[in-house]
Amino acid sequence: MGRTKLSTIFSVNNHPVLPHSNPISENLVENPSAQKNRFSPYSLFGLLRNLFFAKKDDGGSRTEEEERVYNWLYNLAQSEKDLVFEYVRSTERGLSFKEAERRLRENGPNVPIEYFFPKWWHLIWNALFHPFNIILIVLSVLSFIASDNPNGSIMLTLVFISVSLRFYQEYSSSKAAMRLSEHVRCPIKVQRCAGRVVQTELVVQVDHRDIVPGDIVIFEPGDLFPGDIRLLSSKHLVVSQSSLTGESWATDKTADIREDRSTPLLELKNICFMGTSVVSGNGTGLVVSTGSKTYMSTMFSTIGKKKPPDEFEMSLRWIFYLLVAIILVVVTIIVVTDYSTSLDLSRSILFGISVASALTPQMLPLIINACLAKGALAMAKDRCIVKSLTAIRHMGSMDILCIDKTGTLTMNRAIMVNHVDCQGLSQEKVLRFAFLNSYFKTDQKYPLDDAILAYVFTEGYRFHPSKWTKIDEIPFDFIRRRVSVILETHADAKDSLSGRFMVTKGALEEVMRVCSYIESFDKNEISIFSSDHHQRIFNLAEELSNEGLRVIAVAIKNLEMQRRETGKGSMENDENFEKGMVFLGLITFFDPPKDSAEQALWRLAEKGVKAKVLTGDSLALAMRVCREVGIRTTHVITGPELEQMDQENFHETVKRATVLARLTPTQKLRVVQSLQTNGDHVVGFLGDGINDSLALDAANVSISVDSGVAIAKDMADIILLEKDLNVLVAGVEHGRLTYGNTMKYIKMSIIANLGSVLSLLIAILFLKYEPLTSRQLLTQNFLYSVGQIAIPWDKVGEESVKQPQRWSERDLPMFILWNGPICTFCDVATLLFICFYYKATSDLDIKFFHSAWFIEGLLMQTLIFHLIRTEKIPFIQDIASWPVLCSTLLISAIGITLPFSPIGKVMEFTVLPLTYFGFLVVLFLVYFTIGQLVKRLYILVYKRWL
């Protein structure tokens, strides 16, 4: 990915907001200096440092940069406005144009993160710098030197495929974080001063990239904040922070307040953050942080750096280092021994290259990529787009899935539940006027209106809207947070509902603010709206909210005696008109869980995948949804509570909690990292918002949906075309199938190759000549490799799909020690049988020995797969898939008939007697018998096989 340029935050020598050293502001933050990274990640020192001194982020505590940003913003929120100007060395007139230019040069452009894409040769170097590729390149060069052009060409082709795939993947992923700039591109109104003698305040339009600390910005509805802002003035200011919190609700902001440290950072009323937007109202603010020093940048600067190390790739590296060591030792011994007998150096070197080639699992990239591609195609049929093939393997190892509530567990739409009065009793009159309000409003229909209308029509209520006529409407806005319509009924004059009414519906606090009366349905009277009524309604609303319900209020006003219309039929002074109303009751809504959610979570739990809900919504709402879908709610926690915990308690709480609500993006990131490092879990994260991008970037498996924002889809390894968890269940199954087949090849090839090379070493020491020629050895290796192409289409036992599959390099040595000697034992038995039964020890019998050893080695390497692939008895309790069986039969038939064919004569083979094939039948029966006994003992000791 692109390299991120992160300047030192709030350092003494390069303060982000002050043009010169300022002791006051330096004391606002702790640890004002930070050590810069002197080594490029592409340099040798950078590679060594990352290899030996890489430090995992456990997520239990904030980073040093985050702490500085937190301390800076909290201190500004607690300070008086005059002191804030002094901190940033600005004035109430704003900055001069000259000073702004100087600060722009000093601080750089106002962009959250500066990305420097590595050159194409850097990407190719990273792709080539892999032990497996190095082995193949070295062997191919040696093959060309030894005039073995076919073998060298094959190995270079495999390297080309591997490097091309990795280069394409890294080049594509390096563009992901650039999507952040989409959220801050807009012109900004800035107040600056001009004039040498008499300074004049001017309001100018400035590109967001040119905003500097100390600027005074002027904002109105629709504007984005270009940096972290300390409010100076505000009028009915409502701000949307969904880009940071994930919550759809807007929040009120005000300049006339001094906050304290106990308030969560994103809930500070006098601080606005970069990337958030103005919903309604207006005001002015002082820019206190820009660019990489903002809260938003601190969050997203970790993108591309938090991905945990791939245990599978680390294990493969360990295998390759082991192979290099073995090649250097074994091949050297073989070359020296062969040269001591043949005295032909070029022939000995060519044979050594052939042995090294046989020892290398050349088909490993093809097998791995074929397994992953097969899984990707299978998931595509389930309406999934797999962007990163390795994510399929990770899904097989995933044991924790972190999901957001909205749209994943729920239908992401409101359904009306009830209509109650202040006593909590259902009242039809409350529903009637809520329906009339939703039916006649025309300014903008909201999902809650659709839910009310659907409830009335489906429940069979008949409120006869045709008997009402709409007179006027006061539309909804985020300042009043309510909507009013004026209706007149054509009912009979004797009807209690005859006349003209204003019907108001909206946020509970705002509706209660304009009410002077309340209708008591039990007494059938209208009484004064007292403080007791006020408290009772608030208690009722709190109870309903704790049940996970959303609440709005309904009120009416009889306008028969208070009719005021203009010539156009609209009202004057809306705020004064909405007063003296009668409170009727509450309408409750619920976002219901999906029918498939509970079943999918149960299926995931059966497969050893635990679900944790990480959401920005309220705890009460999250708990209700979780109870509906079967997620335990005995251990729950909120973001503000996590913020107050020390590192140890944080990790312990995250480990136990199943529902974590009111989380900020950085808290989601810390939760994921805590589960990875302290819980040693493979974590999947499903999210679709900007606020999920940090956690998506850090998770082992990042999953988004097609309707998600651009950056979430860019960060995701897997994109769901439907928000259905059952698709993930299928993905887990495909991942474990991919893992199982990959492990079959790795363990089988390592055992077969090591056993074969060790047998060659014993044979050459015993016979004093090559048991196979270079051409024969390469042909045997080629046929064996081609036979393994069918492995991705093999089936996997049920025991391998039930639980998460993880593997590390520690498993392999013991597996080799237990199973490797069996192959060598059979090869040595064949050696002794040929030498003593057929007395093939003289130079005249070399062709006979080569033919016999070639067939036995090829059949051994082909049939060993059937022993390794299953815990059960091969061919009896468990049979491989038909592609694998066909491949085994085909390669075995080619190997047996080759000495009898014209090609056999070219390969210097000879015809073998039938007695030798009878010996091979007995040999392989013994091999499968001993191998099965060793397998049962291994499973008994280590409780697993692959």
Side-chain angles (χ1 to χ4, degrees):
M1 293 191 66
R3 288 177 289 167
T4 310
K5 180 182 177 182
L6 294 176
S7 303
T8 305
I9 298 180
F10 295 113
S11 63
V12 174
N13 297 326
N14 186 24
H15 197 280
V17 294
L18 303 183
H20 304 288
S21 177
N22 187 346
I24 297 177
S25 63
E26 290 172 3
N27 293 330
L28 290 177
V29 294
E30 299 175 1
N31 301 324
S33 61
Q35 182 66 35
K36 290 186 178 181
N37 178 15
R38 296 181 297 164
F39 301 122
S40 166
Y42 300 98
S43 67
L44 177 61
F45 294 106
L47 291 172
L48 292 175
R49 184 201 61 205
N50 292 335
L51 181 62
F52 296 107
F53 302 105
K55 181 180 179 182
K56 291 183 179 180
D57 194 339
D58 61 8
S61 59
R62 289 193 292 262
T63 64
E64 186 177 352
E65 289 80 5
E66 290 173 339
E67 283 292 344
R68 288 172 180 162
V69 171
Y70 272 60
N71 290 334
W72 175 244
L73 293 178
Y74 269 118
N75 280 282
L76 291 173
Q78 293 172 307
S79 303
E80 293 285 355
K81 298 176 186 177
D82 295 339
L83 194 57
V84 173
F85 279 110
E86 185 176 353
Y87 288 158
V88 298
R89 301 184 72 84
S90 184
T91 67
E92 295 181 358
R93 293 177 177 270
L95 298 175
S96 66
F97 288 91
K98 184 177 181 180
E99 176 64 17
E101 291 177 2
R102 193 193 66 78
R103 295 194 184 191
L104 182 62
R105 291 193 301 270
E106 180 179 307
N107 293 279
N110 178 32
V111 292
I113 308 171
E114 291 185 65
Y115 274 86
F116 294 91
F117 291 95
K119 303 297 183 181
W120 61 268
W121 54 83
H122 285 153
L123 294 176
I124 292 179
W125 168 257
N126 288 338
L128 279 173
F129 194 73
H130 193 282
F132 176 78
N133 291 331
I134 292 175
I135 292 175
L136 291 181
I137 291 172
V138 171
L139 291 178
S140 65
V141 171
L142 294 176
S143 297
F144 285 122
I145 293 174
S147 300
D148 187 9
N149 297 333
N151 190 44
S153 300
I154 291 173
M155 287 186 281
L156 280 184
T157 301
L158 294 174
V159 171
F160 176 78
I161 294 173
S162 175
V163 172
S164 299
L165 288 174
R166 183 172 177 183
F167 172 80
Y168 173 77
Q169 192 173 29
E170 290 191 352
Y171 181 77
S172 299
S173 63
S174 65
K175 299 179 180 179
M178 294 302 294
R179 298 284 185 176
L180 286 172
S181 59
E182 295 177 2
H183 302 286
V184 290
R185 288 183 175 176
C186 59
I188 307 297
K189 289 182 181 179
V190 178
Q191 175 182 305
R192 287 182 178 169
C193 56
R196 294 184 178 181
V197 180
V198 179
Q199 291 190 334
T200 305
E201 299 172 5
L202 300 175
V203 177
V204 294
Q205 293 270 3
V206 176
D207 185 80
H208 77 277
R209 294 173 58 90
D210 298 331
I211 297 295
V212 296
D215 269 332
I216 296 177
V217 296
I218 302 169
F219 44 83
E220 54 192 21
D223 288 344
L224 287 172
F225 290 103
D228 291 341
I229 307 292
R230 170 60 160 88
L231 292 178
L232 300 177
S233 64
S234 62
K235 180 180 180 181
H236 304 302
L237 182 60
V238 180
V239 174
S240 171
Q241 298 187 154
S242 60
S243 60
L244 302 181
T245 65
E247 295 182 0
S248 57
W249 315 120
T251 181
D252 295 324
K253 297 284 185 176
T254 179
D256 301 323
I257 189 175
R258 290 181 62 185
E259 294 283 8
D260 56 56
R261 192 81 182 190
S262 61
T263 305
L265 183 69
L266 293 179
E267 296 180 14
L268 295 174
K269 295 293 186 182
N270 57 4
I271 298 291
C272 296
F273 301 92
M274 177 183 240
T276 61
S277 60
V278 180
V279 176
S280 63
N282 54 67
T284 61
L286 181 65
V287 179
V288 296
S289 300
T290 59
S292 60
K293 287 83 176 179
T294 60
Y295 173 77
M296 179 183 182
S297 178
T298 306
M299 287 169 40
F300 292 108
S301 63
T302 59
I303 287 178
K305 302 178 181 180
K306 298 296 183 180
K307 212 72 171 179
D310 189 333
E311 292 183 355
F312 187 85
E313 292 294 335
M314 292 173 62
S315 300
L316 287 184
R317 284 182 178 271
W318 183 89
I319 292 174
F320 295 137
Y321 292 141
L322 175 65
L323 287 178
V324 170
I326 294 175
I327 287 174
L328 292 175
V329 174
V330 174
V331 172
T332 302
I333 296 174
I334 288 178
V335 170
V336 171
T337 304
D338 186 70
Y339 177 72
S340 64
T341 56
S342 66
L343 300 178
D344 188 343
L345 182 59
S346 60
R347 175 182 169 183
S348 299
I349 292 177
L350 183 58
F351 182 70
I353 294 173
S354 303
V355 171
S357 178
L359 184 59
T360 305
Q362 298 178 6
M363 300 298 290
L364 184 58
L366 179 61
I367 296 297
I368 291 177
N369 290 329
C371 287
L372 296 175
K374 181 175 177 292
L377 291 174
M379 292 188 68
K381 294 179 181 178
D382 294 326
R383 296 184 60 76
C384 282
I385 299 174
V386 180
K387 292 174 54 184
S388 172
L389 291 180
T390 56
I392 299 176
R393 184 175 62 242
H394 291 155
M395 288 196 73
S397 304
M398 182 177 68
D399 56 354
I400 287 184
L401 176 63
C402 299
I403 54 181
D404 188 10
K405 173 193 68 64
T406 305
T408 304
L409 296 178
T410 63
M411 295 182 180
N412 199 22
R413 62 184 177 89
I415 291 181
M416 182 178 157
V417 177
N418 207 349
H419 41 94
V420 298
D421 60 8
C422 63
Q423 304 290 338
L425 302 176
S426 296
Q427 298 294 341
E428 185 176 308
K429 187 175 182 179
V430 178
L431 178 61
R432 177 194 297 268
F433 281 100
F435 167 79
L436 292 174
N437 180 285
S438 298
Y439 185 87
F440 283 102
K441 62 173 290 194
T442 56
D443 181 62
Q444 186 174 358
K445 292 288 186 181
Y446 289 95
L448 298 186
D449 296 308
D450 296 333
I452 293 173
L453 297 177
Y455 181 86
V456 170
F457 293 139
T458 56
E459 294 296 325
Y461 290 97
R462 296 184 180 274
F463 294 138
H464 305 290
S466 59
K467 295 183 179 180
W468 294 79
T469 301
K470 179 181 176 182
I471 305 300
D472 211 333
E473 176 178 351
I474 307 176
F476 177 88
D477 62 61
F478 282 94
I479 299 175
R480 295 165 39 256
R481 293 194 294 170
R482 58 182 181 263
V483 58
S484 297
V485 294
I486 297 180
L487 306 173
E488 189 173 47
T489 179
H490 298 288
D492 189 88
K494 297 180 180 179
D495 193 333
S496 59
L497 292 180
S498 61
R500 182 171 292 190
F501 293 87
M502 180 166 67
V503 184
T504 300
K505 176 177 95 273
L508 176 61
E509 299 88 346
E510 301 301 329
V511 172
M512 291 174 63
R513 184 175 294 147
V514 297
C515 289
S516 302
Y517 308 94
I518 185 171
E519 182 158 351
S520 301
F521 290 91
D522 54 341
K523 300 178 181 179
N524 196 24
E525 65 179 15
I526 296 176
S527 55
I528 299 296
F529 194 61
S530 65
S531 58
D532 290 340
H533 292 126
H534 192 280
Q535 189 60 44
R536 184 188 308 161
I537 294 171
F538 263 121
N539 292 339
L540 175 61
E542 185 175 358
E543 291 178 7
L544 294 172
S545 297
N546 290 336
E547 295 177 5
L549 299 176
R550 184 181 175 185
V551 175
I552 64 172
V554 181
I556 62 172
K557 180 180 181 181
N558 193 322
L559 299 179
E560 196 62 32
M561 303 300 296
Q562 304 181 37
R563 184 181 307 180
R564 285 203 306 169
E565 299 181 8
T566 64
K568 295 182 180 180
S570 61
M571 293 157 296
E572 301 173 352
N573 201 335
D574 298 342
E575 293 186 11
N576 293 331
F577 203 77
E578 291 177 315
K579 64 180 182 179
M581 305 194 71
V582 180
F583 186 89
L584 292 183
L586 306 174
I587 304 293
T588 60
F589 303 88
F590 180 53
D591 186 5
K594 292 180 178 177
D595 297 333
S596 61
E598 184 174 5
Q599 178 191 11
L601 291 172
W602 180 77
R603 291 176 62 193
L604 285 171
E606 272 192 327
K607 298 184 182 302
V609 180
K610 298 178 181 178
K612 289 181 180 286
V613 174
L614 277 60
T615 179
D617 290 326
S618 67
L619 180 61
L621 184 57
M623 287 179 62
R624 168 159 182 167
V625 173
C626 290
R627 283 193 295 265
E628 296 260 353
V629 298
I631 297 178
R632 293 182 179 179
T633 57
T634 52
H635 295 95
V636 297
I637 195 72
T638 63
E641 291 172 331
L642 284 175
E643 201 68 32
Q644 304 302 320
M645 294 183 179
D646 58 32
Q647 192 166 343
E648 183 177 351
N649 289 333
F650 179 90
H651 295 314
E652 187 62 30
T653 302
V654 167
K655 180 181 178 180
R656 294 196 318 266
T658 54
V659 181
L660 299 96
R662 296 181 62 198
L663 296 182
T664 65
T666 52
Q667 288 170 338
K668 290 183 179 181
L669 170 65
R670 293 171 60 198
V671 168
V672 170
Q673 291 174 336
S674 176
L675 293 171
Q676 290 170 331
T677 56
N678 293 274
D680 194 30
H681 296 290
V682 177
V683 181
F685 189 91
L686 174 58
D688 57 1
I690 301 173
N691 59 307
D692 296 320
S693 56
L694 290 180
L696 285 169
D697 186 55
N700 301 87
V701 185
S702 51
I703 310 162
S704 188
V705 294
D706 186 45
S707 58
V709 298
I711 190 171
K713 290 188 287 187
D714 281 339
M715 291 296 155
D717 301 317
I718 298 174
I719 298 177
L720 308 182
L721 300 182
E722 295 179 358
K723 286 188 176 182
D724 189 353
L725 290 179
N726 282 296
V727 176
L728 296 184
V729 178
V732 169
E733 294 175 349
H734 294 313
R736 293 177 185 176
L737 179 66
T738 298
Y739 173 88
N741 285 332
T742 304
M743 291 310 302
K744 289 175 188 178
Y745 174 78
I746 291 176
K747 293 191 173 182
M748 177 270 299
S749 62
I750 295 297
I751 291 174
N753 292 355
L754 287 177
S756 175
V757 171
L758 184 59
S759 302
L760 285 172
L761 178 60
I762 295 173
I764 201 170
L765 292 174
F766 182 80
L767 297 173
K768 305 302 182 182
Y769 62 80
E770 299 168 356
L772 290 174
T773 66
S774 300
R775 183 184 300 175
Q776 292 166 352
L777 183 58
L778 291 173
T779 302
Q780 183 190 69
N781 185 54
F782 175 75
L783 290 174
Y784 155 71
S785 298
V786 170
Q788 311 310 314
I789 294 178
I791 289 178
W793 286 266
D794 192 23
K795 57 186 180 181
V796 176
E798 294 182 1
E799 64 280 353
S800 300
V801 183
K802 287 183 179 178
Q803 293 298 323
Q805 302 295 320
R806 297 184 66 179
W807 174 66
S808 68
E809 66 274 9
R810 298 178 183 177
D811 298 334
L812 189 61
M814 298 310 300
F815 194 86
I816 294 173
L817 289 176
W818 278 71
N819 296 275
I822 307 174
C823 298
T824 304
F825 167 78
C826 293
D827 289 338
V828 172
T830 303
L831 172 66
L832 296 175
F833 180 77
I834 296 173
C835 291
F836 292 102
Y837 184 80
Y838 294 108
K839 302 186 184 302
T841 56
S842 65
D843 292 343
L844 297 176
D845 299 318
I846 290 179
K847 287 187 177 181
F848 181 87
F849 188 90
H850 285 175
S851 303
W853 188 270
F854 176 87
I855 292 177
E856 185 274 341
L858 180 60
L859 294 180
M860 173 64 70
Q861 291 181 321
T862 302
L863 294 174
I864 189 177
F865 175 75
H866 295 272
L867 179 66
I868 298 296
R869 64 171 294 276
T870 177
E871 297 181 6
K872 301 176 182 179
I873 302 175
F875 302 114
I876 298 176
Q877 293 179 329
D878 191 2
I879 302 177
S881 63
W882 68 266
V884 174
L885 288 176
C886 292
S887 174
T888 300
L889 291 174
L890 179 62
I891 298 301
S892 300
I894 293 175
I896 293 173
T897 59
L898 194 60
F900 300 91
S901 66
I903 300 178
K905 294 181 180 180
V906 177
M907 299 290 296
E908 298 181 350
F909 288 139
T910 187
V911 177
L912 297 174
L914 292 177
T915 54
Y916 179 72
F917 293 101
F919 163 76
L920 290 181
V921 172
V922 175
L923 177 70
F924 289 122
L925 287 176
V926 172
Y927 168 72
F928 278 102
T929 302
I930 297 175
Q932 191 65 27
L933 290 175
V934 172
K935 183 194 300 183
R936 300 315 306 171
L937 289 174
Y938 183 89
I939 295 174
L940 186 65
V941 173
Y942 297 101
K943 310 301 181 185
R944 59 178 298 177
W945 179 236
L946 293 175

